[in-house]
Amino acid sequence: MTQVEIGRGKNGRRAYALDEIGIVPSRRTRDPEEVSIAWQIDAYRFELPVVVSPMDSVVSPKTAIEVGRLGGLAVLDLEGLWTRYEDPTPLLAEVAELTGEAATKRLQEIYDAPIKDELIGRRIEEIRAAGVTTAVRLSPQRTVQHHKAVIDAGVDIFVIRGTTVSAEHVSGRAEPLNLKQFIYELDVPVIVGGCATYTAALHLMRTGAAGVLVGFGGGASHTTRTVLGVAVPMATAISDVAAARRDYMDESGGRYVHVIADGGMGTSGDIAKAIACGADAVMVGSPLARAVEAPGRGFHWGSEAQHPELPRGKRVHFGTIGTLEQILHGPSSVADGSMNLMGALRRTMATAGYSDLKEFQRVEVVVAPQQP
């Protein structure tokens, strides 16, 4: 790994973002219609390698059902508006009308309402009743408090997601979440993250997680780099965690932990390159925030935007470009990679000569800085 001298007292290794790499076609090409982009985690199979981020601007019970119908998986944020209010629709409309810096302050006020366990159960039951796989998210800080309501409601996949999640959290103020014990006691697959290094990922895999989220989430609405100075470019982060997956398979006697790239993927090309670097699936928010069905009405924000003490996200305006189905499956009327995301992925894989996602993870990539 290339080490760069930052100064006489500090070295750092060179890391790469997704827009700095390119996918290399092989000697063989395929028909895009014969390419499979399906993936499976635990007992659950999905026709699309897309997990929709647990963000109120993108996922409501209604959109979670629609994404499931289209072949993907949407994760409902159980710390969002849908578990704090009986009907958050008027508040979502208000957020879309806010201007400038007033948005952050108002988001903090709206999200100050308490989370209700009865609403957690009701939202999960609503999605389950539609016959699609049900996935929900809690932060590590609230998992112990609310997980019983989640399990009692019959969730299929439990996501523990924060900006940075570790298997070893040190706190003198409260008993931290023991991930290994917690996951062992649950009877549902758990996806946990984010993380961005080989070592952190390996420790998370050892907790028994079915999947690990790579990255700090948030993507276009995230300001963690600006506020905290924390950043690891995604191409390098995904490749490092994929290496941890390989080594953990050897260590565990063949147990496969799925790697899900989380954040920073705004176009179909980004999605293809994330999988080429070793991801099994991608977690996206901003591409689907542009859907006419999205609860954010063309605006996009994550849980970091309403932090009561140190917001690390912002409300971003994207506008709308089409339906969820058009964004995922096309047809596309634009040439910027924002629509027909899955059609583009199939074509990339066909151009490179690969028939399924596992094979495509072996594709050759090159360092190819984006042209101005």
Side-chain angles (χ1 to χ4, degrees):
M1 186 64 66
T2 303
Q3 289 286 329
V4 178
E5 184 179 283
I6 297 169
R8 293 194 176 190
K10 180 68 71 174
N11 290 336
R13 66 188 180 107
R14 179 68 168 93
Y16 297 95
L18 291 172
D19 62 7
E20 293 181 282
I21 68 166
I23 294 168
V24 180
S26 69
R27 63 180 177 84
R28 179 189 297 112
T29 57
R30 294 181 182 274
D31 186 331
E33 296 302 318
E34 297 176 1
V35 168
S36 170
I37 56 173
W39 75 297
Q40 182 165 329
I41 182 167
D42 203 83
Y44 302 99
R45 176 185 166 90
F46 304 96
E47 296 306 311
L48 312 179
V50 171
V51 182
V52 185
S53 299
M55 294 173 156
D56 280 341
S57 54
V58 185
V59 181
S60 65
K62 185 176 179 180
T63 57
I65 292 167
E66 178 64 7
V67 169
R69 185 185 72 79
L70 293 170
L73 175 69
V75 183
L76 184 69
D77 185 7
L78 295 185
E79 297 175 27
L81 298 179
W82 293 94
T83 56
R84 298 174 191 263
Y85 299 93
E86 290 280 346
D87 180 14
T89 307
L91 293 171
L92 290 163
E94 179 189 346
V95 171
E97 297 296 327
L98 296 173
T99 58
E101 292 302 315
T104 298
K105 186 173 188 301
R106 182 58 180 143
L107 283 171
Q108 290 174 317
E109 294 169 352
I110 291 172
Y111 282 89
D112 192 47
I115 298 168
K116 301 179 178 69
D117 279 354
E118 62 270 23
L119 285 178
I120 289 177
R122 195 183 309 169
R123 303 310 184 199
I124 293 173
E125 289 165 7
E126 183 179 345
I127 300 170
R128 279 180 58 84
V132 300
T133 303
T134 306
V136 298
R137 171 262 180 186
L138 285 170
S139 66
Q141 294 83 0
R142 287 197 166 104
T143 293
V144 172
Q145 181 181 356
H146 296 293
H147 80 277
K148 189 175 186 303
V150 175
I151 300 303
D152 289 348
V155 75
D156 295 314
I157 298 175
F158 196 163
V159 179
I160 302 174
R161 180 181 187 255
T163 302
T164 303
V165 177
S166 69
E168 184 179 353
H169 178 67
V170 179
S171 174
R173 295 185 301 171
E175 184 67 26
L177 174 65
N178 184 327
L179 273 175
K180 188 169 186 177
Q181 179 181 345
F182 179 80
I183 292 173
Y184 177 77
E185 292 175 352
L186 290 181
D187 197 28
V188 298
V190 177
I191 298 172
V192 63
C195 67
T197 66
Y198 172 94
T199 302
L202 192 58
H203 281 284
L204 287 179
M205 291 172 186
R206 288 169 177 163
T207 66
V212 171
L213 298 171
V214 185
F216 300 117
S221 65
H222 216 288
T223 60
T224 296
R225 180 169 186 162
T226 302
V227 177
L228 300 182
V230 174
V232 180
M234 282 296 285
T236 296
I238 296 167
S239 300
D240 284 351
V241 175
R245 175 186 60 202
R246 177 198 63 212
D247 292 348
Y248 178 69
M249 279 188 69
D250 292 340
E251 173 187 306
S252 63
R255 184 172 182 272
Y256 189 92
V257 179
H258 291 81
V259 172
I260 303 169
D262 180 10
M265 285 161 290
T267 67
S268 54
D270 294 332
I271 292 171
K273 287 188 278 188
I275 294 172
C277 286
D280 296 290
V282 297
M283 178 173 274
V284 296
S286 60
L288 300 183
R290 297 179 171 93
V292 294
E293 304 99 322
R297 307 182 184 206
F299 287 87
H300 185 46
W301 67 93
S303 59
E304 299 83 6
Q306 67 263 11
H307 193 283
E309 299 170 1
L310 190 66
R312 300 178 303 283
K314 58 186 178 181
R315 188 197 61 161
V316 180
H317 183 247
F318 285 121
T320 56
I321 60 173
T323 65
L324 282 168
E325 185 165 8
Q326 288 172 323
I327 292 172
L328 287 171
H329 293 299
S332 174
S333 57
V334 295
D336 60 3
S338 63
M339 297 183 75
N340 198 2
L341 303 179
M342 297 299 97
L345 176 59
R346 283 191 179 91
R347 189 163 294 275
T348 301
M349 293 170 60
T351 301
Y354 293 90
S355 61
D356 61 46
L357 296 175
K358 284 283 190 293
E359 286 188 357
F360 185 57
Q361 290 172 347
R362 302 197 297 267
V363 70
E364 181 184 355
V365 298
V366 293
V367 177
Q370 193 173 40
Q371 297 299 313

